[in-house]
Amino acid sequence: MRKMRSPSAPWRAAALLATVLLVSSATACGNSDTGGSAADDGKLTLGFSQVGAESGWRTANTISIKDSAAAAGIELKFDDAQQKQENQIKAIRNFIQQKVDVIAFSPVVESGWDTVLKEAKDAGIPVILTDRSVDSADKSLYKTFLGSDFVKEGRLSGEWLIANAKTTSGPVNIVELQGTTGSAPANDRKKGFAEAIAANPNLKIVASQSGDFTRAGGKQVMEQFLKANTKIDVLFAHNDDMGLGALEAITAAGKVPGKDITIITVDAVKDGMQALADGKFNFIAECSPLLGPQLMDLAKKVDAGQEVPARIETEETTFTQAQAKEALPNRKY
Ligand code: AHR
């Protein structure tokens, strides 16, 4: 952290002792490589609280953030919250105690952030939301939100189904694998998809449950769906990983994924794109995890007191099977 003036030797010894006591008394959070207090080495220090390591998307996002911080000469204090909001709150409080220059985080769920965000604001530390947003009414609690339009991803998925589903011979039964309960991508993708398919009353969601954005969750919930529903025509999974887990359940049930059951997912990570190119998935709405370079640029700007846009939307596309075949060789993640 750069803002501390170079202290005299006795003061430095006292400050060091105080810092050691503060950090050791800070409650342990998830898996962190946050180190001790922000070092006085002239670098901008960014405290980043990551959701977890639940999916291929998350892994690619973490790599993007770590690589971009190193490339931008930013000292990164990284904490993995293991999909728990209480760990993220502890990590943010730890960053405040360490007096980092900027805090960024991807909130595991949308609600319940006002108190800790107010603590950061009172400490004069700017906060950037990345990937997922919060539902706080007070927008002054954070500087900007960098990430995807999740409602649009759900809507594009639903619109593809409207254009491609065979509904002339009767109702089309859809099952939905939702992301983490209460998270922005789960709430928004569900909403966007439901709004789009409302255009055709023959498209019916017959079951919808959370698979927590993981492969294991997707497999387990799809097994339950298959047991409880004799006719499943379409699966809408809120991410590739749950769709990939569901593939195992579908195959084990003697059905052909991509043919007997049309599969629509979100993300477009390599494994998802491979399944699409192989004909096992039918459509993917992209959600880009490569947020690192833009995040570092924003961290520098807010630290310098520059104005930044309140919302920065990630550029994204969609993929059919033919488009996935073409894009796969150059896919970075
Ligand atoms: O917030 C982005 C979502 O979180 C991704 O779509 C999903 O794969 C991840 O776990």
Side-chain angles (χ1 to χ4, degrees), residues 54-55 57-58 106 131-132 150 185 189 213 238-241 266-267 287:
E54 74 283 4
S55 62
W57 189 100
R58 192 61 57 196
S106 171
D131 163 35
R132 301 181 182 180
F150 297 133
R189 287 171 188 163
F213 279 132
H238 288 189
N239 78 344
D240 287 341
D241 279 77
V266 183
D267 276 357
C287 177

